[in-house]
Amino acid sequence: MTNPTYRLTGTDTYPSNSQAVYLLGMLIIAGILSFVDRQILALLVQPIRADLGISDTEISLLQGFAFAVFYVFLGFPLGRYADRANRRNLIVAGIAVSVQSIHLDAYPLP
């Protein structure tokens, strides 16, 4: 099996520099928000434990295991989808799910 060599030609279309910088900025913001989301839970451990009446084990499962399970079970399928389909639709769906979950969290259960 040979390794094909790809050469750039004048007909290749790449995003402009401004589009590339914009996308890089959006990805940096998404990474920062993802990091902050995980850190907020760590900052609020004591108030969450007091409010929900849960043990150290239960809060550790919420902090670590829940995130790991989420990334394991959704990371690979969503990565495969991103490679095969329109990534823009995946981003829009992710934002929609995030906004909807925030909206639902704003209303207390009866």
Side-chain angles (χ1 to χ4, degrees), residues 2-9:
T2 62
N3 187 6
T5 303
Y6 297 101
R7 297 176 191 226
L8 297 177
T9 64

Side-chain angles (χ1 to χ4, degrees), residues 29-43 67:
I29 290 170
I32 289 169
L33 290 175
S34 174
F35 178 77
V36 168
D37 181 47
R38 283 179 267 148
Q39 296 308 313
I40 286 174
L41 188 59
L43 292 173
F67 277 108

Side-chain angles (χ1 to χ4, degrees), residues 54-100:
I54 58 178
S55 68
D56 286 338
T57 303
E58 292 167 328
I59 197 76
S60 67
L61 289 173
L62 178 64
Q63 282 184 295
F65 186 69
F67 277 108
V69 168
F70 179 77
Y71 284 121
V72 165
F73 286 113
L74 289 180
F76 290 119
L78 292 178
R80 185 178 179 106
Y81 179 81
D83 287 341
R84 300 184 188 278
N86 190 344
R87 291 184 181 127
R88 181 197 56 162
N89 294 339
L90 182 62
I91 293 169
V92 169
I95 291 171
V97 167
S98 175
V99 168
Q100 186 64 29

